[in-house]
Amino acid sequence: MRLDQLPEDFVQDIWRQCSFDTTSLRCVTGQTVRVRDPGRQNRDSGPDFVNARLKVGSIEWVGDVEIHVRTEDWFRHGHHRDPHYNSVILHVTLVADLWTGSVSRSDGTIVEEIVLSKHLGTSLRKLLHQFRTRDHGSIVCEKEWPRIPQPVKERAVQRMSRLRLLRRSVNMTAQLATSEAASVLYKSVFGALGFSKNEAPMLELAERVPLDAADQLTEPFDVEALYLGIAGLIPTEGLETFGDVERLRVEHLRKRFDIVRHTVKRQSMNPNEWQFFRLRPSNFPPLRIAQASALVSARLLFNDDSLDRVSLANDPDFIRGRILALLNPQLDEFWETHYRLERPSAPHSARVGAARAQRIMINAVLPLIVARYGEKDRRHAVRRGLTILSKLSAEDDELTRYFGLLGDRPTTARESQGLHELRVSRCDQHGCLRCDVGRHILRSNQ
């Protein structure tokens, strides 16, 4: 495998573990770099690591770190135009390319950059083997966890769920300082629809097609054509191999895209930016983009009136039901027999789906509501948000199944969110002394 084909999460792991020579680290400009703290890995949108502490030259910095396999990815992902990346104090790339040394923020300032491959004390082959064979799901206290008193674990999970919602709402508050609420929610929902593998290109698509540009179009088909066209996912070749339904759909999309593309000033994305490998068909980018298009066309979620109705409501059950309803607009019947444009599939529901809608609500909508309502009383807003999470079923994913094997399968979204935050901000950061469970174990062993 070529260096530039290595997965980005592998490079993130090298940085998190500090698996490089920390004594001779230098920027591409020649300045020395001392890593006081690599930062906390960020599982949400935004820079990969937050609150890192570095000494670059003679200056101490506290800020964010962004990780890529090659420098080009900084520009390909649009970070040079995104103000949320102005807090990045260091760009880390595994290999150098023609863009190395020219990384810039949206305000035009240059970001210091290091090329990790020059500073590895262990061979990449060995590091990759360790990364592939390591049990990423386990926690340090795995053996002790089943014996921890239930009240101790419950207290830790409850605190972590509050921390997670508060942290996300603070992030939303920062975004609201420079953008309208509907625009902030628009980008967050697009990123959440992309799932983990297509979150970055979905965010890039939302960046290339601003909400106000899509709102100029009155026909849902035109909105879909605009998004699929800018995504680079309307086929231009091989139409002779398509079925009649698929060929007519693509030809119509292409015709309408040529007419409406003037509403945005950006070029189409490279179709290779989208991931299909090892994805369930329901997560294929064309279907997810069609769902995003339907959300925009419905004009029910991305507007201040809807947000005000939800934000100012006092009944958590109403809020939960209203948000989930807004996240499930009806799609064109074409998508009920297609996951992509090229070929038909067995009949299926084309809607976002209850599980995905709930995850979007948890990760995107609810933090925004807390941020908006919290302008007057953040404590009450967080408490109300946690009440809503307690009424939602727990997420079913690798982490929750792992804790299920330890005897603590969560039953509510507040519990599953708490476990995710426990893993991210305590276990992954070796923060046992800041964890209720870790402190209990340490006291018990004295």
Side-chain angles (χ1 to χ4, degrees):
M1 178 182 289
R2 289 167 30 195
L3 291 184
D4 60 359
Q5 293 178 332
L6 290 168
E8 188 172 293
D9 55 353
F10 168 57
V11 188
Q12 293 173 355
D13 189 71
I14 293 177
W15 176 259
R16 183 171 65 84
Q17 301 280 347
C18 290
S19 303
F20 45 82
D21 185 356
T22 58
T23 62
S24 62
L25 204 60
R26 288 184 179 273
C27 298
V28 296
T29 58
Q31 292 198 84
T32 59
V33 178
R34 296 288 182 266
V35 181
R36 309 294 196 203
D37 185 338
R40 174 177 60 79
Q41 191 160 9
N42 176 30
R43 306 290 184 179
D44 299 325
S45 61
D48 295 318
F49 289 82
V50 298
N51 295 325
R53 293 181 60 248
L54 310 171
K55 185 176 183 181
V56 181
S58 60
I59 302 177
E60 295 272 356
W61 293 93
V62 176
D64 302 336
V65 175
E66 180 67 7
I67 312 289
H68 287 117
V69 177
R70 54 190 182 278
T71 305
E72 176 193 3
D73 294 335
W74 172 275
F75 298 95
R76 190 166 62 86
H77 295 164
H79 300 333
H80 61 299
R81 297 187 302 270
D82 191 340
H84 300 128
Y85 288 80
N86 286 350
S87 58
V88 171
I89 58 176
L90 183 69
H91 182 245
V92 178
T93 181
L94 181 63
V95 295
D97 59 20
L98 294 175
W99 298 93
T100 302
S102 63
V103 170
S104 60
R105 305 179 181 90
S106 68
D107 58 9
T109 55
I110 298 298
V111 183
E112 292 287 357
E113 186 174 25
I114 61 174
V115 180
L116 270 184
S117 59
K118 299 179 180 180
H119 304 283
L120 299 179
T122 306
S123 70
L124 269 173
R125 184 183 297 275
K126 184 175 181 179
L127 289 173
L128 184 60
H129 175 73
Q130 293 172 349
F131 175 74
R132 294 296 195 195
T133 56
R134 189 188 317 140
D135 184 358
H136 294 273
S138 62
I139 56 177
V140 174
C141 60
E142 179 183 277
K143 293 182 179 179
E144 292 89 351
W145 181 272
R147 297 191 294 273
I148 303 297
Q150 200 64 28
V152 174
K153 291 187 285 189
E154 289 177 356
R155 183 169 62 250
V157 172
Q158 294 287 310
R159 287 180 176 176
M160 290 298 99
S161 65
R162 185 181 186 281
L163 174 63
R164 189 174 184 85
L165 182 58
L166 179 61
R167 175 168 56 80
R168 286 177 165 173
S169 67
V170 168
N171 180 43
M172 286 290 190
T173 300
Q175 296 182 51
L176 289 172
T178 58
S179 302
E180 296 293 331
S183 179
V184 172
L185 180 60
Y186 168 70
K187 292 180 181 179
S188 297
V189 170
F190 267 58
L193 275 172
F195 205 56
S196 56
K197 288 192 175 182
N198 285 301
E199 178 183 8
M202 283 296 284
L203 287 170
E204 174 66 15
L205 179 59
E207 184 73 26
R208 295 194 185 207
V209 185
L211 179 59
D212 57 358
D215 274 341
Q216 297 177 29
L217 306 177
T218 58
E219 293 297 326
F221 191 86
D222 287 348
V223 177
E224 183 179 302
L226 178 63
Y227 281 111
L228 286 171
I230 294 298
L233 292 177
I234 301 179
T236 57
E237 299 177 352
L239 268 64
E240 65 278 0
T241 65
F242 291 9
D244 291 341
V245 172
E246 292 73 32
R247 184 174 61 256
L248 289 173
R249 182 82 176 191
V250 169
E251 289 174 347
H252 193 194
L253 282 169
R254 176 61 58 187
K255 186 179 298 183
R256 295 309 302 172
F257 176 60
D258 289 340
I259 294 172
V260 302
R261 67 182 306 163
H262 71 278
T263 57
V264 298
K265 307 300 181 183
R266 303 283 296 280
Q267 295 295 317
S268 295
M269 298 169 64
N270 187 329
N272 292 330
E273 294 184 47
W274 299 96
Q275 298 291 324
F276 289 82
F277 185 59
R278 289 183 178 174
L279 280 181
R280 294 178 178 177
S282 58
N283 284 324
F284 280 0
L287 176 58
R288 288 302 188 193
I289 292 172
Q291 292 167 347
S293 302
L295 284 169
V296 173
S297 297
R299 289 176 168 80
L300 296 175
L301 180 64
F302 305 126
N303 64 76
D304 288 339
D305 288 341
S306 290
L307 291 174
D308 285 339
R309 283 192 65 192
V310 174
S311 298
L312 300 177
N314 293 317
D315 183 358
D317 287 324
F318 168 81
I319 296 172
R320 176 179 59 87
R322 179 63 177 165
I323 294 174
L324 293 178
L326 292 175
L327 286 168
N328 266 295
Q330 180 68 47
L331 270 72
D332 186 286
E333 63 181 11
F334 172 86
W335 294 106
E336 295 177 357
T337 54
H338 293 79
Y339 292 109
R340 53 198 308 171
L341 292 165
E342 295 89 338
R343 63 182 71 97
S345 68
H348 57 268
S349 172
R351 296 197 179 211
V352 173
R356 175 55 49 183
Q358 176 173 302
R359 183 161 291 193
I360 294 172
M361 177 180 173
I362 292 171
N363 296 327
V365 186
L366 196 56
L368 179 64
I369 292 174
V370 172
R372 296 188 85 211
Y373 191 87
E375 293 174 358
K376 297 181 179 179
D377 187 345
R378 185 175 298 277
R379 180 177 297 180
H380 178 68
V382 171
R383 190 183 307 120
R384 187 176 63 154
L386 293 173
T387 299
I388 295 173
L389 286 176
S390 297
K391 294 178 179 293
L392 297 172
S393 57
E395 298 141 289
D396 180 18
D397 53 36
E398 184 178 354
L399 183 71
T400 59
R401 290 191 290 270
Y402 167 72
F403 275 99
L405 293 175
L406 298 182
D408 283 282
R409 185 70 179 262
T411 58
T412 70
R414 179 171 184 179
E415 293 172 357
S416 59
Q417 284 287 289
L419 289 172
H420 276 281
E421 188 64 27
L422 184 72
R423 173 63 190 270
V424 169
S425 65
R426 295 296 184 264
C427 304
D428 286 355
Q429 307 303 320
H430 307 292
C432 301
L433 293 177
R434 296 182 288 116
C435 174
D436 290 312
V437 174
R439 288 196 295 266
H440 177 86
I441 293 173
L442 292 171
R443 286 195 298 266
S444 300
N445 291 338
Q446 289 180 350

